[in-house]
Structure formats: structure tokens, C-alpha cells
Amino acid sequence: KRLRSSVLVTLDDGKNILIDIGPDFREQMLRIDFEPLDAVLITHEHYDHVGGLDDLRPYSIFGDVDVFAEQFCIDHLMERIPYCFGNNKYPGTPSLDLVEICPDMPFSAGNIDIMPIRVMHGKLPILGFRIGGMAYITDMKSIPEDEMRHLNDVDVLIVNALHTKEHPTHQNVMQAVRFAERVGAEQTFFIHMSHRVGLHAVVDGKLPQSMHFAYDGLQLTV
């Protein structure tokens, strides 16, 4: 049983950065301590990556939550949950501060520099993120060649691997393995798998030694 893909990055100083906030956000966060979210990074506007924004309501007790996304994504968010924005917001809605970011232009969140990376979700341009020694990429089918420079010397690569068959907008497992081999990270963890990828205990053992399928609740130190 896999919930939608998301990752919480906790920095050495205790700051918390969330990447993507899907419709399972509330269930996922009930498992851990209730602490401020210092930034939410959005890879793209598809519902399985942004459907939990309304559940940022309780986190607004700590103040406005900074949500970083590309402008076209921000526009979509404001269309889908208009009651969270404007001068006459619906009472009790989350306090969100939408911040525009662009690929290849680093920005700071939670007192750390973050590099947005352009990747392609089929024909849709979306973002991955490089934070220190970790790179997080989801829903990728391909990556522009000049973006590979942002993946140099990555210690931990987290990247999507949908299932075993060809797909028009996502990498399959073999494509993800080849991409991971090209990046050459010390460890690679595959995410955003569908149930068609197979049973974890069976398929994980078939991967190269430095690669694994991620699972809900996995904790990594980078």
C-alpha cells in the first residue's frame, strides 16, 4: 500500500522543507511530530502532487507557509483553490505565501540554497530539486542535456520509476535504472511506482546493488 509521493527534508538546524503535498498529506503527517513547515516546494500542478494544500490549515498557526512553484503552476493553484487567496478569503483557510521560482535559478528556503532543475513530464515542463547532496525528481520522462550538470556529485538520487512497461510521460523501471547509472549517485531510491511494478520484496532484490525502491516512512541521512 503506497501513498502518494512526497518527501520531508529536515535540515541540521531543524528547519523543515516539504517537496510536493498530495491528497495523502494529512495521513502522512499524522505519523510524525507537529512542527512548522518552513517551505513547501511544488514540482508541478497535477492533483497527486498538490491536492493536500488545503490541509496546511493547522500549520498556519505558526504563520504563513511559503509555497514555491513556477508561475504557471501558481496560476493553476489559484484557480483550483481560489477561496485561499484574495482579499476576502474564506474563514479558516490556510495562510499561503506563493513564491515564484524558475529552473536553473537557485533560491533559499529554510536557510539553505535549493536548485530547481528542469525535467520533462512527457511534454509538460516540471521541476526537480537539488538540495545539498540530494536530488529529488518525480514524474520525469526525460531531462534536457544541459540540466545534467545540476546532478554532478549527488550522494542520494530520488527519482521516479512508474512500472515495467513503456509509458508516454513517466520513466519505467529500466529507464530509471539507466538514468541512475548515468548520474552515478552513491544511492538511488525509486519513487512514484504504481502497483503494476510488482511486490516490493520481490522486485527490490532485482535492482542493482546501489538502487532500491523507496517505501512509505523511509528515512535517509544525507
Side-chain angles (χ1 to χ4, degrees):
K1 297 178 181 178
R2 297 187 182 99
L3 302 181
R4 262 60 72 95
S5 295
S6 178
V7 64
L8 181 66
V9 180
T10 300
L11 307 178
D12 289 340
D13 61 1
K15 300 283 187 180
N16 292 308
I17 299 173
L18 181 73
I19 304 180
D20 281 343
I21 181 165
D24 302 315
F25 169 72
R26 182 177 181 276
E27 181 177 355
Q28 291 165 330
M29 297 302 280
L30 284 173
R31 304 175 179 181
I32 63 176
D33 293 338
F34 180 59
E35 297 178 344
L37 287 175
D38 298 283
V40 177
L41 316 183
I42 303 296
T43 60
H44 62 296
E45 74 274 17
H46 287 171
Y47 187 78
D48 58 326
H49 295 266
V50 301
L53 278 169
D54 188 81
D55 283 320
L56 286 173
R57 294 179 186 224
Y59 291 88
S60 298
I61 194 174
F62 302 112
D64 290 356
V65 180
D66 291 333
V67 178
F68 295 84
E70 291 188 89
Q71 186 59 53
F72 75 91
C73 181
I74 289 175
D75 293 340
H76 280 282
L77 297 180
M78 295 181 70
E79 290 176 358
R80 293 178 186 180
I81 50 174
Y83 57 88
C84 292
F85 306 103
N87 296 325
N88 298 306
K89 296 200 309 178
Y90 187 82
T93 54
S95 298
L96 307 178
D97 185 9
L98 299 177
V99 183
E100 181 186 1
I101 55 175
C102 299
D104 307 317
M105 296 181 64
F107 64 96
S108 293
N111 297 327
I112 192 171
D113 291 335
I114 300 171
M115 175 61 74
I117 305 169
R118 169 64 77 220
V119 299
M120 298 301 297
H121 183 12
K123 295 181 179 180
L124 176 69
I126 66 172
L127 293 178
F129 296 102
R130 172 76 183 263
I131 304 177
M134 181 199 77
Y136 184 92
I137 298 173
T138 184
D139 287 40
M140 181 182 76
K141 179 64 176 182
S142 62
I143 181 171
E145 188 61 34
D146 61 352
E147 295 296 291
M148 290 296 295
R149 69 188 189 276
H150 298 312
L151 301 176
N152 291 337
D153 302 318
V154 166
D155 297 316
V156 175
L157 172 66
I158 301 172
V159 68
N160 61 295
L162 188 63
H163 49 55
T164 58
K165 297 182 179 181
E166 183 67 19
H167 192 276
T169 63
H170 292 261
Q171 292 185 132
N172 62 28
V173 174
M174 287 309 301
Q175 291 164 343
V177 168
R178 288 196 294 268
F179 176 72
E181 290 174 340
R182 186 179 178 196
V183 173
E186 293 180 9
Q187 296 184 87
T188 296
F189 292 89
F190 297 129
I191 59 168
H192 210 286
M193 294 84 69
S194 82
H195 64 281
R196 295 186 181 93
V197 81
L199 298 175
H200 187 105
V202 176
V203 295
D204 191 70
K206 297 180 180 179
L207 294 174
Q209 188 172 6
S210 63
M211 304 179 194
H212 298 278
F213 288 108
Y215 54 85
D216 290 11
L218 173 65
Q219 297 186 23
L220 303 173
T221 299
V222 183

